[in-house]
Amino acid sequence: MSGTVMIGSERAWTVEDEHYMRRALEEARTAAEEGEVPVGAVIVCAGEVVASAHNQREQLCDPTAHAEMIAITQAAAALGDWRLEGCTLYVTLEPCPMCAGAIVQARIERVVYGAADPKAGACESLYTLTNDPRLNHRAQVVGGVLEEECRAILQDFFRQRR
């Protein structure tokens, strides 16, 4: 897997980014099957998947059980360190403020997301917490990877519930 896919004139992602976003989409589909909001996340470090998770708020009765939070916990355990420097988080929906805060605290190097979240997105849409110069860490953010697929799974889920 190699190569770059250009978006606009300044945003780019790699074929690897698409590969790992497809893994995150698999997690999102699992969440939907479990009746959870279909968001999936994968964390990659040194070319290896170290965490893979999906939303589990309903199942765990835990408002913090977002895919990103669970994946961050898994990755820290797998790597034996709370600092996830050099890691990339792939997530199907732009992280919310809680998750963006955890990304900063975990020192994740790069965040790649699928669909933007105009109501709660904290990487680019509503807030830019992952790039706030007042904080002790900033993450590179790339949005829009497999955006249509990531958006469609969410739209289908909510359409079925109405």
Side-chain angles (χ1 to χ4, degrees), residues 113-137:
Y113 70 85
D117 186 350
K119 293 184 179 180
C123 291
E124 294 182 314
S125 296
L126 195 57
Y127 305 106
T128 55
L129 291 178
T130 51
N131 285 306
D132 190 321
R134 297 168 296 180
L135 299 176
N136 63 329
H137 174 76

Side-chain angles (χ1 to χ4, degrees), residues 30 36 99 108 142 158:
T30 299
E36 299 280 355
C99 295
I108 291 174
V142 177
F158 288 112

